[in-house]
Amino acid sequence: MSGRLAPPSLLLALVVSSFCPATSRSGDETRNQLLTREKMMRVGGQLVLTWEEELANQRLRALKEAEMHEALSTGNILPSMHFFQAKSLIEKSEVFNILKKMPKGAALHVHDFSITSPDWLVKNATYRPHCYFCFTRRGTPQFRFAHPTTPTPKPAECPQWVLLEKFRKGLRNVSEFDNSLLRNLTLMTENPHVTYADQDAIWAKFETIFFVLGGLVSYAPVFRDYLSQGLEEFYQDNVLHLEIRASLHPVYELDGTIYSQEWLVRTYEEVAHNFAKTHPGFIGIKLIFSDHRTKNESLIKKSIQTAMDLRVKFPGIVAGFDLVGREDTGYTLYDYREALMIPASRGVHLPYFFHAGETDWEGTSVDRNLLDAVILNSTRIGHGFALSKHPAVLAEAWKKDIPIEVCPISNQVLKLVSDLRNHPAAVMMATGYPMVISSDDPAAFGARGLSYDFYEAFMGIGGMSADLRTLKQLAINSIRYSTLSETKKKSAMETWEERWQKFVAGLARGPR
Amino acid sequence: MSGRLAPPSLLLALVVSSFCPATSRSGDETRNQLLTREKMMRVGGQLVLTWEEELANQRLRALKEAEMHEALSTGNILPSMHFFQAKSLIEKSEVFNILKKMPKGAALHVHDFSITSPDWLVKNATYRPHCYFCFTRRGTPQFRFAHPTTPTPKPAECPQWVLLEKFRKGLRNVSEFDNSLLRNLTLMTENPHVTYADQDAIWAKFETIFFVLGGLVSYAPVFRDYLSQGLEEFYQDNVLHLEIRASLHPVYELDGTIYSQEWLVRTYEEVAHNFAKTHPGFIGIKLIFSDHRTKNESLIKKSIQTAMDLRVKFPGIVAGFDLVGREDTGYTLYDYREALMIPASRGVHLPYFFHAGETDWEGTSVDRNLLDAVILNSTRIGHGFALSKHPAVLAEAWKKDIPIEVCPISNQVLKLVSDLRNHPAAVMMATGYPMVISSDDPAAFGARGLSYDFYEAFMGIGGMSADLRTLKQLAINSIRYSTLSETKKKSAMETWEERWQKFVAGLARGPR
């Protein structure tokens, strides 16, 4: 795997170059030298393209430039618009359609219950037999599959459970009802700026979505099929490997059986294994066991123990541990420091994959999660949105070769940044900081797979400078920084390279 | 003037530190070390505060923290809101009221006809005798002072000129009319997101403002008083020196006399001189002669010649040359390269103060203005909004000690960024890049002096980390990077230090 200077050398190059006066050269020489230096520094800037890749790059650049010029003339570039409003326009973009075909490698930052389109949940899961639903007193729908002999589940929060099959029969307009269910499973809305006044509003709805779909996806048969369908959607989007933040919440059967976390891990493994059998080139999945950062430290200590146990029992699939949920309102890594030091104190290596720096609140205790993630040797950093504001932490993270998992659409939808050209990853990409692109919770954001996020990264974050080198490096990074073993990485790279060559050949040839 | 590491040493420190492994130290040691390193790197981080400054800083930090906690609990921090909506809330802030009292040094980036409140223009200028107005066929008001013997000026674009004095007498509601005039002289509006759909819309209105006020401020008596009033507003805001981008457009008298650019420069000098006589501590003004970047190169060549001539004739006040207007749609510095090389080719030193990087369009020809500004040894860079996306240009600019003139409110109002916590100067401030804070066109943006921009920089761009050190360094920078002679800088620093000590003493004492 090529294309990356070791960070100290890069910084050293910067220093050395800053000692070599440019004044002795002509203006144009200095100009070209600086332009070349920046080109080389960027993510992918060190890659040397083949003749065919150069041709493909020319075509891609031409399409990108045409789209940029169109945007320049209207003053509106899609990554500056809210994704909910830009989505249908992105789908018309030729660049987007190329990105869909591009083998993107792996999705390293996605959450368990947001990888599959909500349409599938409505059209498939809620149409299965024994599916009950009700509205809580706050008007939020809840689902539950129940056995025919004990037809009405009775969780306290729901006044009246109705069998969906029967309920739909009584409806005049079923598709209207189905659409109303759909609206409870996605953040998508026509006018997001009005619907979600601030981060509190959007996070409230975001968390409600997981509450709503909980009763569906924690039903064992749906659980299996949801995962399989999610893998299918990523596979269709040319993603061959996923590393899933998994909460491992209890899964139930009609007869009242509740499955353990071990059962869940085994089932993840099974489903992925079966999926690979019917999907050539598919590599697999890894799980990052993730607890919620609203929990107190004693609960987190238990989860750390669970994570260690699971890794011993399932070394092939359980990759490590993370903390999820809204960073701004949750406990900090420093609050959990005792719990997080347990593995090291016992001589156990539990890899961490911390969400950190998913905040606009510079200098607060939450903002220090980045610092602690780096000190705790996080294998990767989820988001790292605030990292560019922390040059010393950044240098340390770079030295440790900790990549950031950039999720552009997530950051925009959750109101960290509006115009994605201002996403801090633009600075990181320009400097060549190791990164991968991921989609976080595509289902909740109205996205699918990785292509929409790649579009935002390529057209918005990367500006005019991002080209085929950038895309290639991002795809390579996704395998390089995955938790696959070295052997598996090698074969994954081979599979990816084969597909990449086909993709490049098609792109170089142009439309036929 | 203290508090700044030479850039290569800083980069070297970064490299050296990245070679020193932190793993041998305990987590908490590493943590403190990284926190300290970041604190030291920041703008102002090297300053050592006096005992009294430490006290003042404690009080300032307490007020800032209280305001931040309030913002955290509501989810809305003022710099994340549009300035038009935040303005009245900012005025209630205790931090803002401290910033108003703070001696801020110099305003290094303001434009000639946007330094004075539009209220003054309406309440003072348009109430003067002989003031005519009309509406163009597009409905834009135009003003013109005219001699009683030739009462109606007849520029082609205006169908019917009316004497304001007479017109107002016939009105039932004069203040309503005056408010309508005011709305033509400011971008302020209740719902800016609706009023200005995109950059094209806001720039169109922005340029119209200068068209509207042209007839008022180019009338010699108003011209003098407008400038004097502008200096007064900055002086009241504790700003003692201004460097004004001046277009030197023709100024007229009632009798039809049109004054030359030399007259204008002399008048600027005179007004500032008289102002200084009655305003203790006031240092003065400098002019940066500025042409419009919509003009073709042959016209710019003439302006370069004019700039050189003016600098020879008025070395005490004409500081150099700049190009103004919307960067995204204008000619680039590279387009003008022949013109801009003229002074050097003749062995003449004409200092440049280029607007550059006032764009979100990374990698375009416009975005290269930054590169060319640095190659052309621009003394300072106006905005430099895109600089953090260009690490090699940034390193070169840092080596040359070229500061950026950060204008937060301008960048937000003109739609480069919405949440000012995402302003790229946050990264630059964290890294210690040399910068000053300025207000660009405060009158058009509904601001006044520098305090509103300092508020956005202190609370938004600087995050929780910005403290009294940051503010002190920003004020020092404004004198250090001014075009005052070394002797004048020294005396300016003395004046500023005296006022700073009083300010600090008052702040340390707290409210009485």
Side-chain angles (χ1 to χ4, degrees):
Chain A
M1 276 165 253
S2 57
R4 238 190 111 257
L5 267 176
S9 339
L10 196 143
L11 281 171
L12 199 61
L14 212 76
V15 175
V16 171
S17 76
S18 81
F19 277 115
C20 306
T23 39
S24 61
R25 290 183 293 275
S26 79
D28 268 357
E29 258 179 275
T30 312
R31 197 172 197 269
N32 291 334
Q33 196 209 44
L34 284 171
L35 283 171
T36 307
R37 202 182 295 166
E38 294 213 334
K39 206 175 160 186
M40 298 287 285
M41 282 169 106
R42 296 183 61 78
V43 166
Q46 311 266 324
L47 292 178
V48 179
L49 299 187
T50 64
W51 173 81
E52 199 168 40
E53 283 174 329
E54 285 289 358
L55 273 183
N57 196 20
Q58 274 172 32
R59 184 153 168 260
L60 180 65
R61 286 199 66 94
L63 290 171
K64 178 170 179 169
E65 270 166 36
E67 207 166 313
M68 286 285 199
H69 283 131
E70 161 97 23
L72 261 167
S73 70
T74 61
N76 276 319
I77 178 170
L78 300 182
S80 78
M81 291 169 63
H82 194 288
F83 175 66
F84 296 169
Q85 292 162 330
K87 187 186 170 190
S88 62
L89 301 169
I90 290 174
E91 285 161 359
K92 288 178 193 147
S93 149
E94 287 198 64
V95 170
F96 175 68
N97 281 297
I98 289 167
L99 292 173
K100 282 212 292 188
K101 289 180 202 147
M102 175 185 142
K104 287 170 281 288
L108 300 190
H109 187 117
V110 288
H111 290 267
D112 42 10
F113 295 131
S114 203
I115 55 168
T116 305
S117 302
D119 301 78
W120 181 88
L121 278 178
V122 173
K123 295 290 178 204
N124 183 310
T126 75
Y127 272 85
R128 297 190 180 198
H130 318 305
C131 185
Y132 287 81
F133 95 113
C134 76
F135 287 102
T136 65
R137 289 186 179 80
R138 293 178 163 203
T140 311
Q142 277 273 73
F143 299 91
R144 177 93 193 165
F145 289 85
H147 196 273
T149 56
T150 54
T152 46
K154 289 189 179 65
E157 72 269 19
C158 246
Q160 202 195 346
W161 289 92
V162 180
L163 186 65
L164 259 177
E165 200 178 339
K166 203 166 141 192
F167 182 77
R168 278 204 179 93
K169 277 181 188 148
L171 289 176
R172 267 193 229 161
N173 195 335
V174 174
S175 69
E176 199 177 272
F177 170 73
D178 284 356
N179 283 335
S180 78
L181 291 184
L182 195 62
R183 281 194 294 275
N184 282 286
L185 295 168
T186 171
L187 290 168
M188 283 280 278
T189 166
E190 267 182 35
N191 205 334
H193 302 292
V194 175
T195 312
Y196 310 114
D198 52 31
Q199 286 186 328
D200 286 347
I202 191 126
W203 271 94
K205 166 85 186 198
F206 190 39
E207 280 162 359
T208 303
I209 288 174
F210 296 104
F211 175 70
V212 173
L213 56 71
L216 291 173
V217 296
S218 58
Y219 174 48
V222 173
F223 174 78
R224 281 192 201 90
D225 295 353
Y226 179 91
L227 175 60
S228 189
Q229 173 66 21
L231 301 186
E232 183 70 43
E233 292 183 14
F234 276 81
Y235 185 81
Q236 293 301 331
D237 197 42
N238 291 296
V239 177
L240 299 181
H241 175 71
L242 287 86
E243 307 208 337
I244 302 172
R245 259 77 169 183
S247 52
L248 305 181
H249 284 155
V251 160
Y252 67 96
E253 291 278 13
L254 273 191
D255 63 6
T257 309
I258 305 282
Y259 290 120
S260 67
Q261 290 173 317
E262 291 189 18
W263 179 92
L264 268 105
V265 175
R266 265 199 311 274
T267 306
Y268 269 112
E269 211 165 21
E270 248 170 56
V271 171
H273 185 72
N274 290 335
F275 186 84
K277 278 192 217 159
T278 51
H279 293 78
F282 184 76
I283 297 158
I285 64 171
K286 295 275 184 179
L287 301 179
I288 296 161
F289 174 49
S290 301
D291 209 344
H292 206 281
R293 63 191 339 139
T294 48
K295 291 189 182 169
N296 68 35
E297 200 184 19
S298 67
L299 291 171
I300 298 302
K301 279 182 180 166
K302 282 184 194 156
S303 293
I304 290 282
Q305 187 57 57
T306 307
M308 290 191 290
D309 295 346
L310 288 173
R311 245 180 85 76
V312 170
K313 279 184 194 144
F314 306 97
I317 184 163
V318 176
F321 181 76
D322 187 15
L323 289 150
V324 299
R326 188 175 175 192
E327 203 175 329
D328 277 332
T329 50
Y331 284 105
T332 63
L333 295 180
Y334 196 68
D335 293 330
Y336 290 143
R337 62 192 177 281
E338 269 185 43
L340 301 175
M341 296 297 279
I342 291 173
S345 72
R346 296 194 196 155
V348 174
H349 177 52
L350 176 65
Y352 290 134
F353 298 82
F354 292 126
H355 278 71
E358 192 183 3
T359 184
D360 272 329
W361 295 94
E362 193 278 341
T364 59
S365 57
V366 167
D367 186 48
R368 300 225 169 109
N369 281 342
L370 272 173
L371 171 67
D372 290 307
V374 172
I375 290 173
L376 289 161
N377 295 311
S378 196
T379 302
R380 302 191 298 259
I381 288 178
H383 297 292
F385 185 87
L387 190 55
S388 62
K389 290 182 186 174
H390 294 285
V393 177
L394 191 157
E396 189 76 6
W398 205 337
K399 193 182 71 188
K400 290 182 173 180
D401 197 18
I402 301 175
I404 50 172
E405 302 160 344
V406 178
C407 305
I409 293 171
S410 168
N411 297 153
Q412 188 193 52
V413 169
L414 297 174
K415 288 180 172 281
L416 282 177
V417 60
S418 59
D419 186 333
L420 284 171
R421 293 174 301 174
N422 287 322
H423 193 292
V427 173
M428 309 292 273
M429 197 181 269
T431 324
Y433 190 89
M435 62 175 66
V436 296
I437 302 299
S438 202
S439 52
D440 207 4
D441 297 275
F445 306 144
R448 197 182 170 99
L450 293 183
S451 292
Y452 292 94
D453 284 278
F454 261 82
Y455 181 85
E456 303 283 18
F458 185 61
M459 299 294 284
I461 294 172
M464 267 317 296
S465 302
D467 65 3
L468 194 67
R469 280 176 198 81
T470 323
L471 297 172
K472 188 178 180 182
Q473 188 69 60
L474 289 170
I476 291 173
N477 283 355
S478 76
I479 297 171
R480 175 210 293 271
Y481 292 110
S482 73
T483 62
L484 291 166
S485 67
E486 287 309 310
T487 323
K488 289 233 168 114
K489 271 186 195 175
K490 203 164 164 281
S491 75
M493 271 305 292
E494 279 162 15
T495 309
W496 174 82
E497 265 165 8
E498 196 183 298
R499 284 162 185 249
W500 177 260
Q501 272 164 29
K502 274 187 200 148
F503 162 72
V504 164
L507 182 53
R509 265 198 314 274
R512 283 182 301 183
Chain B
M1 276 164 255
S2 57
R4 238 188 110 258
L5 268 178
S9 338
L10 196 141
L11 281 171
L12 200 61
L14 211 76
V15 175
V16 170
S17 76
S18 83
F19 277 114
C20 306
T23 39
S24 60
R25 289 183 293 275
S26 79
D28 269 357
E29 259 180 271
T30 312
R31 197 171 196 267
N32 291 335
Q33 194 208 45
L34 284 171
L35 284 170
T36 307
R37 202 184 293 166
E38 293 213 335
K39 206 174 161 185
M40 298 289 285
M41 282 170 107
R42 297 184 60 79
V43 166
Q46 311 265 324
L47 291 177
V48 179
L49 299 187
T50 64
W51 173 82
E52 200 166 40
E53 283 174 328
E54 286 289 359
L55 274 183
N57 196 21
Q58 274 172 30
R59 186 156 166 258
L60 180 64
R61 287 198 66 95
L63 291 170
K64 179 170 179 168
E65 270 166 35
E67 207 166 314
M68 286 285 200
H69 283 132
E70 162 98 25
L72 259 167
S73 71
T74 62
N76 276 318
I77 178 170
L78 299 182
S80 78
M81 291 169 63
H82 194 288
F83 175 66
F84 296 170
Q85 293 163 329
K87 187 186 170 188
S88 61
L89 301 169
I90 290 174
E91 285 160 0
K92 287 178 195 148
S93 149
E94 285 198 66
V95 171
F96 176 69
N97 282 298
I98 289 167
L99 292 173
K100 282 212 292 189
K101 289 181 202 146
M102 173 186 143
K104 286 168 281 287
L108 300 189
H109 187 116
V110 286
H111 290 268
D112 43 11
F113 295 131
S114 203
I115 56 168
T116 306
S117 302
D119 301 76
W120 181 89
L121 277 178
V122 172
K123 295 291 177 204
N124 182 310
T126 75
Y127 273 85
R128 297 189 181 199
H130 318 305
C131 186
Y132 287 80
F133 97 112
C134 76
F135 286 102
T136 65
R137 287 187 179 81
R138 291 180 164 203
T140 311
Q142 277 274 72
F143 299 92
R144 179 92 193 167
F145 289 86
H147 196 272
T149 57
T150 55
T152 47
K154 288 190 179 61
E157 72 270 18
C158 245
Q160 204 194 345
W161 288 92
V162 181
L163 186 65
L164 257 178
E165 201 178 340
K166 205 166 139 191
F167 182 76
R168 277 205 179 93
K169 277 180 190 150
L171 289 175
R172 265 194 230 163
N173 193 335
V174 174
S175 68
E176 196 177 275
F177 170 73
D178 285 357
N179 284 336
S180 78
L181 291 183
L182 195 62
R183 280 194 295 275
N184 281 286
L185 295 168
T186 172
L187 291 168
M188 283 280 278
T189 166
E190 266 182 36
N191 204 333
H193 302 291
V194 175
T195 312
Y196 311 115
D198 53 30
Q199 286 187 326
D200 285 347
I202 191 125
W203 271 94
K205 167 85 187 202
F206 190 39
E207 280 162 0
T208 303
I209 287 173
F210 295 104
F211 175 71
V212 173
L213 55 72
L216 292 173
V217 296
S218 60
Y219 173 49
V222 174
F223 175 78
R224 281 191 201 88
D225 295 352
Y226 179 91
L227 176 58
S228 189
Q229 172 66 21
L231 301 186
E232 183 70 43
E233 292 183 12
F234 276 82
Y235 185 81
Q236 293 301 332
D237 198 42
N238 291 297
V239 178
L240 298 180
H241 175 70
L242 287 86
E243 308 209 336
I244 302 171
R245 260 76 169 182
S247 53
L248 305 182
H249 285 155
V251 160
Y252 67 96
E253 290 279 12
L254 272 191
D255 63 7
T257 308
I258 305 281
Y259 291 121
S260 67
Q261 290 173 316
E262 292 188 16
W263 180 91
L264 267 104
V265 175
R266 267 198 310 276
T267 305
Y268 268 111
E269 211 164 22
E270 250 171 55
V271 171
H273 185 73
N274 291 333
F275 186 85
K277 278 192 217 159
T278 52
H279 294 79
F282 185 75
I283 297 159
I285 64 170
K286 296 275 184 179
L287 300 179
I288 296 160
F289 174 49
S290 301
D291 209 344
H292 207 281
R293 61 191 341 138
T294 48
K295 290 189 183 170
N296 67 34
E297 199 183 19
S298 68
L299 291 171
I300 297 303
K301 279 183 178 165
K302 283 184 192 155
S303 293
I304 290 284
Q305 187 58 57
T306 306
M308 289 191 289
D309 295 347
L310 289 173
R311 244 181 86 76
V312 171
K313 280 184 194 144
F314 306 97
I317 184 164
V318 176
F321 181 76
D322 187 15
L323 290 150
V324 298
R326 188 175 175 192
E327 203 176 329
D328 277 332
T329 51
Y331 283 105
T332 64
L333 296 180
Y334 197 68
D335 293 331
Y336 290 144
R337 63 192 178 280
E338 270 186 41
L340 300 175
M341 295 298 278
I342 290 174
S345 71
R346 296 194 195 154
V348 175
H349 177 53
L350 176 65
Y352 291 134
F353 298 81
F354 292 126
H355 278 71
E358 192 184 3
T359 184
D360 272 329
W361 295 95
E362 193 278 341
T364 60
S365 57
V366 167
D367 186 49
R368 301 226 166 107
N369 281 341
L370 273 173
L371 171 67
D372 290 306
V374 172
I375 289 172
L376 289 161
N377 295 311
S378 197
T379 302
R380 301 191 299 260
I381 287 176
H383 298 291
F385 185 87
L387 190 55
S388 62
K389 289 183 187 174
H390 294 284
V393 177
L394 191 157
E396 189 78 6
W398 205 337
K399 193 181 71 187
K400 290 183 173 180
D401 197 18
I402 302 176
I404 50 171
E405 302 160 346
V406 177
C407 304
I409 293 171
S410 168
N411 298 153
Q412 188 193 53
V413 169
L414 297 174
K415 289 179 172 283
L416 281 177
V417 60
S418 59
D419 187 333
L420 283 170
R421 292 174 300 173
N422 286 321
H423 193 291
V427 174
M428 309 293 272
M429 197 180 267
T431 325
Y433 189 89
M435 64 175 65
V436 296
I437 302 299
S438 202
S439 53
D440 205 4
D441 297 275
F445 306 144
R448 198 182 169 98
L450 294 184
S451 292
Y452 292 94
D453 285 278
F454 261 82
Y455 181 84
E456 304 283 19
F458 185 61
M459 299 294 284
I461 294 172
M464 267 318 296
S465 302
D467 66 2
L468 194 67
R469 282 174 197 81
T470 322
L471 295 172
K472 188 177 181 183
Q473 188 69 60
L474 289 170
I476 291 173
N477 283 356
S478 78
I479 297 170
R480 176 211 291 270
Y481 292 109
S482 73
T483 62
L484 292 166
S485 68
E486 286 309 311
T487 324
K488 290 233 167 116
K489 271 186 196 176
K490 203 165 165 281
S491 75
M493 271 305 291
E494 280 162 14
T495 309
W496 174 82
E497 266 166 6
E498 197 182 296
R499 287 166 182 247
W500 177 260
Q501 273 163 28
K502 275 186 200 150
F503 161 73
V504 164
L507 181 54
R509 264 198 315 274
R512 281 182 301 185

